[in-house]
Structure formats: C-alpha cells, structure tokens
Amino acid sequence: MTIFKIFKGDICSLAVDAIVNAANNSLLGGGGVDGAIHRAAGPALLDYCRDLDGCETGDAKLSPSFLLPANYVIHTVGPIWRGGYENEAALLASCYQRCVELARQQGIQSLAFPAISCGVYAYPHEVATRIAIDALSASIASSGNRNTIEEITLVAYSDQMLAHWQAALTFSRSEY
Ligand code: AR6
C-alpha cells in the first residue's frame, strides 16, 4: 500500500529516499526546481549528470544526491506545454511512470515529486496534477507485489499548487 502526502515548501529539504527533479533534456541544470536541486546538491551532481548523456522527454534517470538529505535524485524531463497538440499528456504521465519504475528497481520506499512541467514548461496546473495522480496510481497498481514505494510526497511550492494537489487527490479518491 502506498500513502500519498502533500508537502508545501522546498523539495530539497526532504529526507526521503529519492526526490524527483523536473529537468531539461541536457540534464545539465537550469532554473526552477532544477536549479534549486543542483545548488543544494553541490557541483558533484553536475559532474555526475554530464555522464548521463541527457534524457528524452518523458523518460527519467537516477543519480546520487550528493549533499542533499535525500539518498537519490531521479531526473525526469516533462513536456513543454504547446496547447495539448503535441502528446503532452502522455509524455507527462510517462515522466511519473518512469520515475516509479526507476524507484522500484532501486528498492526505494519514499519518493517526492515536484509538479513536473508546471513552472517554466507552463503545463496547465489543474490538468497536470490530475495526470500525475492518475499516472502514479496506475504505476503502483501495475507493480503489484513488486511495489516497494510506501510513501509518495507531492510537493507544492505555492499555495495555488497546494490547492491543485489537494483537489487532484480528492478527485482521484472519489473516483473509486
Ligand atoms: N521545491 C519544490 N518545487 C519547486 C521548487 C523547489 N525548490 N522550485 C520550483 N518549484 P519548474 P518545469 C516548483 O519551472 O516546468 C528548469 O529550468 C515550481 O513552482 O522548476 O518542469 C529546467 O532546467 C513548479 O510548480 O519545472 C527545465 O528547463 C514546479 O516546481 C525547466 O525548468 C516545476 O517548475 C523545466 O520546467
């Protein structure tokens, strides 16, 4: 069984097994949560990421966390919102699914996600959070007894995103 939690604040402060980074295809750092994670992890993270050879949109790659309190960082690349005509929903769902797969392969029990694509990449927040919860629930369900993840923390960096995570979680629970 996996418990969903919501946390408002800086994902870098969380002492979970892995935090997810909303990165770009280069995996060489950027602004937003990506910049915050690289600053908090220290320059060794960038050195490590140079050898990961980038990441496709919708995919994910694992790294150590260096100076962060978490044990690992899972870097994923969300889609840039282009009006919904460029397969954005499937790519965003794929980010969450690939992160769960990598976490499971690593035996990770606690995992924290930012709202992937909801900053610079401009994905509409309400839809993005619903896609996230659906994709996470489906990934965990399909893992069956291979699931290792006991706790997923959804991180909001603003009151508005906090409300979206809360609404998406409530909506998904009312569906079953
Ligand atoms: N902790 C938790 N959430 C945060 C933090 C933080 N420290 N900082 C920002 N957020 P964004 P994207 C929230 O822009 O849209 C980067 O430059 C933020 O408020 O970080 O996927 C990359 O290199 C928003 O809700 O990621 C890429 O080029 C969410 O995290 C590009 O931005 C995601 O916002 C990726 O854009």
Side-chain angles (χ1 to χ4, degrees), residues 41-65:
L45 179 59
L46 181 58
D47 285 342
Y48 188 94
C49 286
R50 284 188 217 285
D51 292 333
L52 291 178
D53 197 25
C55 184
E56 296 289 323
T57 303
D59 200 0
K61 292 194 175 176
L62 184 93
S63 80
S65 63

Short mmCIF file of all heavy atoms in Angstrom, two decimals, residues 41-65:
data_model
loop_
_atom_site.label_atom_id
_atom_site.label_comp_id
_atom_site.label_asym_id
_atom_site.label_seq_id
_atom_site.Cartn_x
_atom_site.Cartn_y
_atom_site.Cartn_z
N ALA A 41 22.62 20.25 -3.96
CA ALA A 41 23.41 19.01 -4.06
C ALA A 41 24.90 19.29 -4.19
O ALA A 41 25.72 18.44 -3.84
CB ALA A 41 22.93 18.18 -5.26
N GLY A 42 25.24 20.46 -4.73
CA GLY A 42 26.63 20.81 -4.93
C GLY A 42 27.12 20.41 -6.32
O GLY A 42 26.44 19.69 -7.05
N PRO A 43 28.31 20.88 -6.70
CA PRO A 43 28.80 20.71 -8.07
C PRO A 43 29.03 19.26 -8.50
O PRO A 43 29.07 18.96 -9.69
CB PRO A 43 30.12 21.50 -8.10
CG PRO A 43 30.47 21.75 -6.68
CD PRO A 43 29.22 21.68 -5.87
N ALA A 44 29.16 18.35 -7.55
CA ALA A 44 29.37 16.93 -7.91
C ALA A 44 28.17 16.38 -8.67
O ALA A 44 28.31 15.46 -9.49
CB ALA A 44 29.63 16.10 -6.66
N LEU A 45 26.99 16.94 -8.43
CA LEU A 45 25.80 16.46 -9.16
C LEU A 45 25.93 16.78 -10.65
O LEU A 45 25.65 15.94 -11.51
CB LEU A 45 24.52 17.07 -8.58
CG LEU A 45 23.23 16.65 -9.30
CD1 LEU A 45 23.02 15.14 -9.27
CD2 LEU A 45 22.01 17.36 -8.70
N LEU A 46 26.38 17.98 -10.94
CA LEU A 46 26.54 18.36 -12.36
C LEU A 46 27.60 17.47 -13.02
O LEU A 46 27.41 16.99 -14.14
CB LEU A 46 26.93 19.83 -12.47
CG LEU A 46 27.12 20.38 -13.88
CD1 LEU A 46 25.85 20.18 -14.71
CD2 LEU A 46 27.51 21.85 -13.85
N ASP A 47 28.68 17.21 -12.33
CA ASP A 47 29.73 16.32 -12.88
C ASP A 47 29.14 14.95 -13.20
O ASP A 47 29.39 14.38 -14.25
CB ASP A 47 30.88 16.14 -11.88
CG ASP A 47 31.76 17.37 -11.82
OD1 ASP A 47 31.69 18.18 -12.76
OD2 ASP A 47 32.49 17.52 -10.82
N TYR A 48 28.33 14.43 -12.27
CA TYR A 48 27.72 13.11 -12.48
C TYR A 48 26.76 13.15 -13.67
O TYR A 48 26.75 12.24 -14.50
CB TYR A 48 26.98 12.69 -11.20
CG TYR A 48 26.50 11.26 -11.24
CD1 TYR A 48 27.26 10.23 -10.72
CD2 TYR A 48 25.28 10.94 -11.84
CE1 TYR A 48 26.83 8.92 -10.77
CE2 TYR A 48 24.85 9.63 -11.91
CZ TYR A 48 25.62 8.63 -11.37
OH TYR A 48 25.19 7.32 -11.44
N CYS A 49 25.97 14.22 -13.74
CA CYS A 49 24.95 14.32 -14.80
C CYS A 49 25.57 14.43 -16.19
O CYS A 49 24.96 14.00 -17.17
CB CYS A 49 24.03 15.51 -14.54
SG CYS A 49 22.86 15.21 -13.19
N ARG A 50 26.77 14.97 -16.28
CA ARG A 50 27.44 15.06 -17.60
C ARG A 50 27.58 13.67 -18.22
O ARG A 50 27.52 13.52 -19.42
CB ARG A 50 28.84 15.65 -17.45
CG ARG A 50 28.86 17.13 -17.23
CD ARG A 50 30.31 17.65 -17.29
NE ARG A 50 30.54 18.72 -16.34
CZ ARG A 50 30.10 19.95 -16.49
NH1 ARG A 50 29.43 20.29 -17.54
NH2 ARG A 50 30.35 20.86 -15.57
N ASP A 51 27.77 12.66 -17.39
CA ASP A 51 27.96 11.29 -17.90
C ASP A 51 26.64 10.57 -18.17
O ASP A 51 26.65 9.44 -18.67
CB ASP A 51 28.79 10.46 -16.91
CG ASP A 51 30.22 10.95 -16.84
OD1 ASP A 51 30.69 11.51 -17.85
OD2 ASP A 51 30.85 10.79 -15.78
N LEU A 52 25.52 11.18 -17.83
CA LEU A 52 24.22 10.51 -18.06
C LEU A 52 23.76 10.68 -19.51
O LEU A 52 22.80 10.03 -19.94
CB LEU A 52 23.15 11.07 -17.12
CG LEU A 52 23.32 10.73 -15.64
CD1 LEU A 52 22.22 11.39 -14.80
CD2 LEU A 52 23.31 9.22 -15.41
N ASP A 53 24.41 11.58 -20.25
CA ASP A 53 24.14 11.72 -21.69
C ASP A 53 22.71 12.19 -21.97
O ASP A 53 22.06 11.70 -22.89
CB ASP A 53 24.42 10.36 -22.38
CG ASP A 53 24.57 10.53 -23.88
OD1 ASP A 53 24.92 11.64 -24.31
OD2 ASP A 53 24.29 9.56 -24.61
N GLY A 54 22.22 13.10 -21.15
CA GLY A 54 20.91 13.69 -21.39
C GLY A 54 19.77 12.73 -21.11
O GLY A 54 19.97 11.61 -20.64
N CYS A 55 18.57 13.19 -21.41
CA CYS A 55 17.37 12.39 -21.11
C CYS A 55 16.27 12.82 -22.08
O CYS A 55 16.06 14.01 -22.31
CB CYS A 55 16.96 12.66 -19.66
SG CYS A 55 15.57 11.68 -19.08
N GLU A 56 15.58 11.82 -22.63
CA GLU A 56 14.45 12.13 -23.53
C GLU A 56 13.28 12.69 -22.72
O GLU A 56 13.09 12.32 -21.55
CB GLU A 56 13.96 10.84 -24.20
CG GLU A 56 14.96 10.16 -25.11
CD GLU A 56 15.20 10.94 -26.39
OE1 GLU A 56 14.23 11.52 -26.91
OE2 GLU A 56 16.35 10.97 -26.84
N THR A 57 12.47 13.48 -23.35
CA THR A 57 11.23 13.95 -22.71
C THR A 57 10.35 12.73 -22.40
O THR A 57 10.19 11.85 -23.25
CB THR A 57 10.49 14.92 -23.66
OG1 THR A 57 11.37 15.99 -23.98
CG2 THR A 57 9.22 15.45 -23.03
N GLY A 58 9.84 12.67 -21.17
CA GLY A 58 9.01 11.54 -20.74
C GLY A 58 9.81 10.40 -20.11
O GLY A 58 9.23 9.46 -19.60
N ASP A 59 11.14 10.50 -20.16
CA ASP A 59 11.98 9.46 -19.56
C ASP A 59 12.58 9.98 -18.24
O ASP A 59 12.36 11.15 -17.86
CB ASP A 59 13.08 9.05 -20.55
CG ASP A 59 13.67 7.68 -20.23
OD1 ASP A 59 13.23 7.05 -19.25
OD2 ASP A 59 14.58 7.26 -20.96
N ALA A 60 13.35 9.13 -17.55
CA ALA A 60 13.94 9.51 -16.27
C ALA A 60 15.27 8.80 -16.07
O ALA A 60 15.48 7.71 -16.60
CB ALA A 60 12.98 9.15 -15.13
N LYS A 61 16.17 9.44 -15.32
CA LYS A 61 17.48 8.84 -15.00
C LYS A 61 17.81 9.11 -13.53
O LYS A 61 17.46 10.17 -12.99
CB LYS A 61 18.56 9.41 -15.90
CG LYS A 61 18.39 8.98 -17.36
CD LYS A 61 19.60 9.24 -18.21
CE LYS A 61 19.38 8.66 -19.61
NZ LYS A 61 20.50 8.99 -20.53
N LEU A 62 18.52 8.17 -12.94
CA LEU A 62 18.82 8.22 -11.50
C LEU A 62 20.24 8.73 -11.25
O LEU A 62 21.15 8.42 -12.02
CB LEU A 62 18.69 6.80 -10.95
CG LEU A 62 18.86 6.61 -9.47
CD1 LEU A 62 17.50 6.68 -8.77
CD2 LEU A 62 19.49 5.25 -9.17
N SER A 63 20.40 9.49 -10.19
CA SER A 63 21.76 9.88 -9.77
C SER A 63 21.84 9.83 -8.24
O SER A 63 20.81 9.82 -7.57
CB SER A 63 22.10 11.30 -10.24
OG SER A 63 21.50 12.26 -9.38
N PRO A 64 23.06 9.85 -7.70
CA PRO A 64 23.19 10.06 -6.25
C PRO A 64 22.71 11.47 -5.93
O PRO A 64 22.52 12.29 -6.84
CB PRO A 64 24.69 9.93 -5.99
CG PRO A 64 25.28 9.35 -7.23
CD PRO A 64 24.38 9.71 -8.36
N SER A 65 22.58 11.76 -4.64
CA SER A 65 22.05 13.08 -4.26
C SER A 65 23.13 14.00 -3.70
O SER A 65 22.84 15.15 -3.41
CB SER A 65 20.97 12.90 -3.21
OG SER A 65 21.56 12.33 -2.07
#
